[in-house]
Amino acid sequence: MTAKTYSISELARELDVTTRTIRFYEEQGMLSPTRRGQERIYTPKDRVALKLILRGKRIGFSLAECKELIELYDPSLGNRKQLDTFLDKITERRAQLEQQLLDIQQMQLELDTAEERCRAALAEVPEGR
């Protein structure tokens, strides 16, 4: 029995992306379909890679980080290295987001202070001036 394969339109429909998106990831060397004439034939491994790319992009990973994770895929090793690396990247991303959140909260405080000062200054300016 042969493994299931997918056309570009099947993958696009299933994962809710455009065929252009899939071709872009192929151009980046992240997917490697075989060809039957002009038709691209994607394997289950390509499908998993595309799902990993899309998940990685949703949580803020760069294309380089997604590519690194795909290249670590080795089912013969139980994907231990890939999963350990993924966890490390999740930890890094979480730390970045926490820092961004702190930066945003600090900026909000500064905006509040600036707004209060502007309103106080406006209160002291006579109307029409």
Side-chain angles (χ1 to χ4, degrees):
M1 183 175 162
T2 57
K4 167 106 172 104
T5 59
Y6 306 87
S7 69
I8 193 169
S9 57
E10 287 172 327
L11 270 186
R13 196 171 33 256
E14 179 182 337
L15 300 177
D16 196 26
V17 295
T18 64
T19 56
R20 175 71 193 111
T21 297
I22 295 172
R23 286 191 299 272
F24 172 77
Y25 294 131
E26 184 182 338
E27 290 163 10
Q28 299 303 308
M30 300 171 84
L31 301 173
S32 50
T34 56
R35 298 280 186 148
R36 186 182 306 137
Q38 291 287 73
E39 185 182 10
R40 292 169 165 87
I41 308 295
Y42 295 90
T43 64
K45 182 178 177 181
D46 290 316
R47 182 177 168 273
V48 169
L50 183 55
K51 287 177 78 171
L52 185 60
I53 294 165
L54 297 173
R55 181 179 300 131
K57 294 303 293 172
R58 275 195 308 273
I59 59 179
F61 289 175
S62 68
L63 278 183
E65 288 171 316
C66 292
K67 190 171 185 176
E68 177 187 355
L69 289 169
I70 291 166
E71 289 170 354
L72 289 172
Y73 179 74
D74 185 352
S76 67
L77 300 175
N79 291 326
R80 175 130 201 127
K81 187 168 184 169
Q82 183 190 43
L83 293 170
D84 285 339
T85 302
F86 193 30
L87 282 174
D88 290 344
K89 292 193 176 301
I90 288 170
T91 300
E92 289 172 21
R93 184 67 183 134
R94 192 179 304 278
Q96 289 171 347
L97 288 172
E98 287 169 1
Q99 183 57 56
Q100 287 176 329
L101 184 56
L102 289 173
D103 292 345
I104 289 168
Q105 290 168 339
Q106 181 61 41
M107 194 178 296
Q108 287 175 321
L109 289 173
E110 291 176 22
L111 287 170
D112 291 345
T113 301
E115 181 181 25
E116 286 172 22
R117 287 184 180 157
C118 282
R119 293 194 185 283
L122 274 174
E124 294 176 14
V125 176
E127 285 290 324
R129 292 199 186 210

